[in-house]
Amino acid sequence: MSSPYPILGDTMFHMSEEKPEHYWRAIDRKWQKHWADTKVFATGEDPNKPKQYVLMMFPYPSGSALHMGHVRTYVLGDIFTRYMKMRGFNTLHPMGWDAFGLPAENAAIKRGFHPREWTVANIQTMKGQLKELGIAYDWEREISTCEPEYYRWTQWIFLRMFEKGLAYLKNAPVNWCPSCMTVLANEEVDNGACWRCKGAVERKELKQWFLKITAYADALLEDMKGLDKWPDRVKSMQENWIGRSEGSNVVFREKETGEEMPVFTTRADTLFGVTFIVIAPEHPLVAKLAKGTPQEAEVDAYVEKAKKLSFIDRTSTEREKTGVLLGRHAINPVNGEAVPVFVTDYVLADYGSGIVMGVPAHDQRDFEFAKKKGLLMKVVISPAGEKLEPASMTEAFVDDGVQVNSGAFDGMPNREAIWAITDWLAQDGKGGRKVTFRLRDWLISRQRYWGAPIPIIHCAKCGPVAAPDADLPVLLPPQADFRPGAESPLARSKEFVETRCPKCGGDARRDTDTMGTFIDSSWYFLRYVSPNYTDGPFDEKAVARWLPVDQYIGGIEHAIMHLLYSRFIYKVLADLGKVPGREPFNALFTHGFVLKGGSMMSKSLGNTVAADETIAKYGCDTARTFLMFAAPPEKDLEWSETGIEGISRFLKRVGRLVEGNMESLKTNAYPGPDPASAGGIAREVSRRTHEAVMRVTRDIRDDFHYNTAISALMEFVNFLSDADLSAAGPEATSFAIKRLVLLMAPFAPHLAEEWWEMAGEKPSVFNANWPEFSAVAAQEDVVEVPVQVNGKLRSMLRVPRGTGKEALEKAALADPKVQAFLAGSAPRRCVVIPDKLVNLVL
């Protein structure tokens, strides 16, 4: 972003200049250069200070120009970091780049560039834009996940998991995006569509690499209880995704072969009502049980047809249910009845056991399938005192009731029957209690070029073998044909693929998949503490000093994938003894978006407001302050040109206060004496200053209430602008205005630096101590005391604070509003609480 205004150097800005906003960009540049030259925001390492690790979710270097939505995101963390630095903390506020992945690869292919060339160019562009915003990052800790010195350690973490059995290769039905031509993890499928391109996802059978996140399902849930500084919404989203269910494992058996057909259910109370079994087309039992039956050809054709359906079609609740008979029967363990087995495409092999019991009288989806196929329905739960007849039912009965047609369990409340039936089955080895999870293991294989290569060597004799740590990083071949195709682009690079087995020395082939980018971002926050460390992914002593992250800030859209994966990887590293504690992020704040025309700013929608144009017109600090004032940070904000003009006028008023009182400011150094004891207007200046410091401090410190903090600053500026500061005296004037500048500094840092210098103080303002406040000193000298008659409010008394009981009672009795209710009678009793309440009881 270029500016038409000259760099001011040591020149100071004066509010008397016409159109001062024309100089504000020059002020931005002046202080950004000062911060860079003096390294004001380098990470603090003073052992006598507490630490504060403030982290923004790092961006993907798309190359698009930053818009005001981006600015709002980065300013949130910047304000908090500057505040914590002024509070005396060692601050770590780093920035880096989530640089691997499909968008860069696809954009590079479209434009004829190499993905690395495209990504590096975008990083330089975005880095320049962020520097123009003056965000207080420690750029010496910058990282990029696509650099070999970073992904070397991503591969190292993968290998440690491989050694522990947490990374494994298996043939499985997976989510395939035909547009991106790669596999997706379950979490990357949003309502059956690819989270990147929004295209329909298909199911495909492939051999893929998985990380065993399910081994940590209970820990992910249990440890979440301690995350009391996380939004409840995010925790609920993770809990629902992990989906812990306590239920029953029920063993059905195929009638002729005795083959086990295990079913998991949370409704064992409906087992006596099972009239059919459904099995996923991909389930390995399908081909085995269909073989040799009259239905074999029909089943094979149905399975092939199901493979071509998208994930959306398979799971849609609107689509008509289909299925074919397998030609087999399953024996219900509770009553010995043989029920038909259907192959149905609405069941997925990787959810539950891939086999589901059909209870049409008590499950709506089963009801619809049974109606279509003309299947038997059996009522086994009825409302107390009523009798349901299957022939008259228009929908499944899914409410609670009592057991009927359930043998020895008849008459039992169905919720009690769930465990009674389960435990009865367990006695005969036909089932038992079981806990399952919706969460599935994390699929990390990608059939694309621009990612960290999976560091595994495949040997015909030894099987999958870990690449030796000494050989890391396994580098991407720079000259590879990275265009997507039926196989991974790496498979087309002979020099990459052909290698020797580390175990037996024989001919071998490297794995040709790359890792999904969420594994890169699952540990980046650990690399920031020692970005140049070469003896491991991070310096463990530095991690012990800085982790967990004290304040993490990002979008709610990352609640499932990034945040869940990061917690998982951190727990694995904790079990390896590499990191402290069990959780990586102590506090989490999720921000809202900037809207224009009611929609989130987006280049594709054409509704963005360019950051460089806005900042060139108004300066950084006007844009920053408006974005923080216009709405609570956790809420969405509608862009308003009128609103930003109002903030510009507010900042000019602050500037006039500084310039108009420079003589007082320069002759009274900060912090200066508190004029509270001086009396008169000086005392009120002191009180209002303490009140402003208290309100702004609490609003920044507690839940990012930046909008109300700025509102408090506006009230303080109004008071100071209207007050007779000459009567208050130079000490009181300096006491108030210098504290005003300090309170403004996190929000309007460039102007605050300018005002601080104009006030005769040595830069940087961020090396000054945040002002302290006294809640007592902030109290008004006059208080309003409610007066009640028989418990009902009848008047308000304005009296000096600390007025005694007798004086309060006398003032209340003399109040004309109160006398009208007394009607000449004396109260029987008078309850007086000084400064709080007078209650007259007639």
Side-chain angles (χ1 to χ4, degrees):
M1 295 181 287
S2 60
S3 170
Y5 310 118
I7 299 297
L8 293 185
D10 293 330
T11 303
M12 282 192 289
F13 161 75
H14 293 283
M15 287 303 304
S16 59
E17 299 282 354
E18 186 179 359
K19 296 183 178 179
E21 62 269 21
H22 287 185
Y23 297 92
W24 286 2
R25 275 308 276 147
I27 291 172
D28 294 343
R29 301 287 180 79
K30 169 185 173 180
W31 291 107
Q32 287 168 13
K33 183 177 186 302
H34 173 82
W35 296 335
D37 290 347
T38 58
K39 298 184 178 180
V40 171
F41 299 110
T43 300
E45 298 289 357
D46 186 341
N48 297 315
K49 291 183 176 181
K51 64 96 175 177
Q52 186 71 201
Y53 186 174
V54 183
L55 181 65
M56 297 298 304
M57 292 182 182
F58 64 169
Y60 192 89
S62 65
S64 301
L66 295 180
H67 56 66
M68 298 313 292
H70 297 126
V71 176
R72 189 190 193 203
T73 298
Y74 300 125
V75 168
L76 277 169
D78 187 59
I79 289 171
F80 194 74
T81 300
R82 292 173 187 269
Y83 164 75
M84 295 306 294
K85 177 176 174 58
M86 295 173 76
R87 289 296 306 271
F89 285 79
N90 284 323
T91 56
L92 169 56
H93 189 213
M95 177 48 66
W97 313 98
D98 190 8
F100 270 141
L102 282 173
E105 188 171 348
N106 289 339
I109 292 169
K110 183 178 179 180
R111 293 166 176 80
F113 292 112
H114 190 280
R116 178 175 180 79
E117 180 184 0
W118 173 256
T119 301
V120 170
N122 289 344
I123 287 174
Q124 293 308 310
T125 299
M126 291 184 70
K127 184 176 180 179
Q129 292 173 334
L130 287 174
K131 284 189 171 182
E132 288 279 354
L133 294 174
I135 307 296
Y137 293 130
D138 181 353
W139 285 107
E140 292 185 358
R141 292 175 181 258
E142 179 184 11
I143 60 171
S144 178
T145 62
C146 70
E147 295 299 335
E149 54 265 32
Y150 183 90
Y151 72 77
R152 168 191 181 185
W153 300 111
T154 301
Q155 293 172 338
W156 182 93
I157 291 172
F158 173 90
L159 291 179
R160 301 293 79 78
M161 298 180 77
F162 180 67
E163 292 169 357
K164 294 288 186 181
L166 295 172
Y168 63 93
L169 187 65
K170 78 168 182 177
N171 210 45
V174 295
N175 307 302
W176 174 261
C177 176
S179 175
C180 297
M181 298 193 76
T182 192
V183 164
L184 304 174
N186 288 333
E187 293 85 348
E188 295 171 321
V189 179
D190 183 10
N191 290 322
C194 172
W195 76 293
R196 282 286 190 195
C197 72
K198 308 306 178 187
V201 171
E202 299 176 356
R203 301 289 285 177
K204 196 171 183 178
E205 189 87 11
L206 289 174
K207 185 166 283 190
Q208 301 287 285
W209 284 99
F210 293 83
L211 299 184
K212 201 168 186 179
I213 191 172
T214 53
Y216 285 79
D218 273 323
L220 288 165
L221 284 173
E222 185 63 28
D223 293 343
M224 198 182 300
K225 297 175 182 177
L227 299 177
D228 53 3
K229 295 181 180 178
W230 277 44
D232 289 339
R233 182 184 174 193
V234 173
K235 291 192 287 186
S236 293
M237 291 170 73
Q238 289 206 7
E239 288 170 1
N240 291 336
W241 188 259
I242 294 168
R244 187 180 190 275
S245 294
E246 294 186 8
S248 314
N249 182 52
V250 182
V251 182
F252 287 74
R253 289 184 182 274
E254 201 282 317
K255 182 179 179 180
E256 296 180 8
T257 65
E259 192 80 43
E260 284 193 1
M261 303 181 73
V263 169
F264 174 80
T265 179
T266 58
R267 295 297 308 275
D269 53 330
T270 66
L271 270 167
F272 285 88
V274 173
T275 60
F276 62 94
I277 291 289
V278 290
I279 185 169
E282 309 92 338
H283 199 291
L285 276 179
V286 170
K288 185 176 181 180
L289 293 178
K291 190 173 181 63
T293 67
Q295 287 81 10
E296 182 177 5
E298 185 182 9
V299 169
D300 289 347
Y302 185 83
V303 169
E304 288 302 312
K305 184 180 178 180
K307 288 180 179 178
K308 297 175 183 177
L309 292 174
S310 71
F311 187 89
I312 295 176
D313 289 336
R314 291 281 301 273
T315 57
S316 173
T317 57
E318 302 298 322
R319 178 173 167 266
E320 185 180 13
K321 307 299 181 288
T322 68
V324 296
L325 281 166
L326 185 58
R328 299 286 187 175
H329 288 78
I331 302 300
N332 188 337
V334 298
N335 55 20
E337 292 182 357
V339 296
V341 180
F342 285 83
V343 182
T344 56
D345 57 22
Y346 65 82
V347 177
L348 301 178
D350 55 350
Y351 281 84
S353 66
I355 305 173
V356 178
M357 64 188 201
V359 189
H362 304 291
D363 180 279
Q364 188 60 29
R365 187 171 63 172
D366 295 344
F367 182 91
E368 293 169 6
F369 186 79
K371 280 287 188 182
K372 181 183 176 183
K373 296 291 185 181
L375 299 174
L376 178 68
M377 292 192 192
K378 293 177 62 178
V379 172
V380 294
I381 300 171
S382 282
E386 295 184 35
K387 184 178 181 181
L388 295 178
E389 293 294 342
S392 61
M393 294 176 68
T394 58
E395 61 182 2
F397 177 73
V398 296
D399 296 331
D400 288 339
V402 296
Q403 298 294 134
V404 296
N405 302 318
S406 300
F409 303 96
D410 280 356
M412 182 180 291
N414 71 296
R415 290 293 161 183
E416 293 180 19
I418 290 175
W419 301 118
I421 293 172
T422 301
D423 294 341
W424 174 62
L425 285 171
Q427 293 174 11
D428 292 334
K430 298 177 180 179
R433 300 193 183 206
K434 185 177 181 181
V435 174
T436 65
F437 297 89
R438 179 177 184 268
L439 181 69
R440 292 294 175 264
D441 281 343
W442 176 13
L443 190 157
I444 65 163
S445 291
R446 300 294 180 271
Q447 292 68 44
R448 296 298 293 256
Y449 171 79
W450 194 231
I454 292 176
I456 293 293
I457 294 167
H458 296 278
C459 173
K461 179 181 178 182
C462 305
V465 180
D469 285 356
D471 292 350
L472 301 182
V474 175
L475 293 169
L476 282 172
Q479 304 305 319
D481 179 3
F482 48 78
R483 292 171 298 175
E487 60 181 351
S488 170
L490 296 184
R492 301 194 289 265
S493 174
K494 182 178 179 180
E495 66 175 40
F496 176 83
V497 173
E498 294 182 355
T499 187
R500 311 294 294 182
C501 174
K503 279 189 175 181
C504 69
D507 291 342
R509 294 172 57 85
R510 291 195 184 279
D511 198 288
T512 57
D513 283 351
T514 53
M515 296 188 225
T517 56
F518 281 107
I519 195 167
D520 304 316
S521 60
S522 65
W523 72 279
Y524 78 105
F525 50 91
L526 293 165
R527 186 67 179 172
Y528 279 139
V529 303
S530 49
N532 301 312
Y533 193 66
T534 58
D535 292 335
F538 41 79
D539 181 341
E540 292 178 27
K541 291 182 180 178
V543 165
R545 183 164 67 253
W546 283 105
L547 268 291
V549 172
D550 296 284
Q551 183 63 64
Y552 201 16
I553 302 169
I556 190 73
E557 69 273 19
H558 298 294
I560 298 299
M561 289 183 282
H562 165 61
L563 288 168
L564 190 64
Y565 293 154
S566 296
R567 294 180 62 222
F568 163 53
I569 293 295
Y570 193 85
K571 291 180 187 304
V572 172
L573 292 171
D575 286 344
L576 292 172
K578 300 295 183 182
V579 296
R582 300 292 298 173
E583 289 289 335
F585 312 122
N586 184 44
L588 174 69
F589 182 82
T590 53
H591 58 74
F593 298 102
V594 178
L595 312 179
K596 189 181 179 188
S599 299
M600 186 175 73
M601 283 191 182
S602 167
K603 185 178 178 181
S604 63
L605 295 176
N607 68 340
T608 61
V609 175
D612 54 355
E613 294 176 8
T614 303
I615 290 169
K617 183 177 181 180
Y618 296 102
C620 278
D621 291 353
T622 308
R624 288 170 61 106
T625 308
F626 168 71
L627 289 169
M628 296 301 106
F629 174 67
E634 71 276 13
K635 303 293 185 182
D636 292 341
L637 176 159
E638 182 70 34
W639 178 259
S640 164
E641 201 72 28
T642 303
I644 197 169
E645 290 279 2
I647 291 295
S648 179
R649 291 191 295 271
F650 163 62
L651 293 176
K652 290 172 189 177
R653 292 189 74 194
V654 178
R656 283 193 289 271
L657 273 172
V658 174
E659 186 175 348
N661 293 280
M662 285 177 62
E663 185 175 344
S664 295
L665 297 175
K666 288 186 174 181
T667 55
N668 292 276
Y670 179 77
D674 188 337
S677 60
I681 184 64
R683 172 168 172 73
E684 182 61 8
V685 166
S686 169
R687 188 194 72 77
R688 294 295 290 264
T689 302
H690 279 281
E691 180 184 52
V693 174
M694 178 177 68
R695 290 175 63 186
V696 173
T697 300
R698 289 177 176 176
D699 285 346
I700 293 178
R701 182 189 65 199
D702 300 337
D703 298 325
F704 293 81
H705 292 155
Y706 294 165
N707 57 318
T708 54
I710 295 170
S711 180
L713 286 167
M714 289 176 170
E715 293 179 28
F716 189 36
V717 169
N718 289 341
F719 165 75
L720 293 175
S721 298
D722 295 339
D724 186 355
L725 294 180
S726 61
E731 287 187 350
T733 299
S734 178
F735 180 84
I737 293 178
K738 287 191 175 179
R739 281 161 176 76
L740 168 63
V741 172
L742 292 170
L743 296 178
M744 290 292 305
F747 304 99
H750 307 84
L751 291 173
E753 289 278 23
E754 191 74 11
W755 296 329
W756 194 244
E757 188 179 50
M758 290 170 68
E761 298 289 347
K762 183 180 178 180
S764 164
V765 68
F766 297 102
N767 289 328
N769 293 326
W770 186 260
E772 299 295 330
F773 68 86
S774 164
V776 173
Q779 292 179 332
E780 283 192 83
D781 291 336
V782 175
V783 294
E784 288 192 333
V785 178
V787 180
Q788 298 177 346
V789 177
N790 285 345
K792 294 184 178 180
L793 181 66
R794 298 305 184 188
S795 188
M796 298 292 292
L797 297 176
R798 283 186 59 82
V799 296
R801 182 179 295 280
T803 299
K805 288 185 177 183
E806 291 184 7
L808 275 174
E809 181 178 346
K810 184 177 180 180
L813 292 172
D815 188 296
K817 293 180 181 178
V818 175
Q819 287 180 348
F821 288 94
L822 295 178
S825 300
R828 181 168 55 85
R829 187 161 55 95
C830 187
V831 178
V832 180
I833 304 174
D835 296 340
K836 299 291 185 182
L837 175 71
V838 176
N839 185 24
L840 305 175
V841 182
L842 299 183

